Amino acid sequence: MISAWRQQRTTARGWRSRPRRALPRADPREREIARLEREIARLRGELGKARTVIEVQEKLSALLDQFATGSPDTSTGEKA
């Protein structure tokens, strides 16, 4: 029934007088590689964010230590 409708649609409107070529099926290994590459990219982004957060926390901790002691930290050689 549906196949007859499709045939009528094809002949009536001239749709796809040629059958569509199917895309080649992706190799399961290639799909897995693509999935893993996407995951690696996502994890690298998360790692970059985590490193930035840690850096900011270290700087904040040093700054709070300076305020707590009332003097700049001279051990790093930086001037405030």
Side-chain angles (χ1 to χ4, degrees):
M1 184 171 192
I2 290 179
S3 62
W5 172 81
R6 286 183 182 153
Q7 181 64 34
Q8 289 173 356
R9 180 192 69 180
T10 301
T11 57
R13 292 191 176 174
W15 288 19
R16 294 192 178 101
S17 57
R18 296 177 294 168
R20 289 197 308 183
R21 288 190 291 164
L23 295 175
R25 295 218 74 155
D27 182 20
R29 290 176 294 180
E30 290 176 10
R31 283 186 302 204
E32 181 69 7
I33 289 169
R35 184 187 68 79
L36 292 172
E37 286 174 345
R38 286 190 306 270
E39 186 175 358
I40 287 170
R42 180 184 61 83
L43 292 172
R44 282 184 177 155
E46 288 182 19
L47 178 62
K49 289 176 189 177
R51 285 181 174 163
T52 302
V53 167
I54 291 169
E55 212 175 287
V56 169
Q57 287 176 340
E58 288 173 349
K59 290 178 181 180
L60 180 62
S61 176
L63 185 61
L64 291 175
D65 284 344
Q66 286 179 6
F67 283 131
T69 61
S71 64
D73 185 16
T74 57
S75 63
T76 60
E78 296 178 5
K79 294 183 179 181

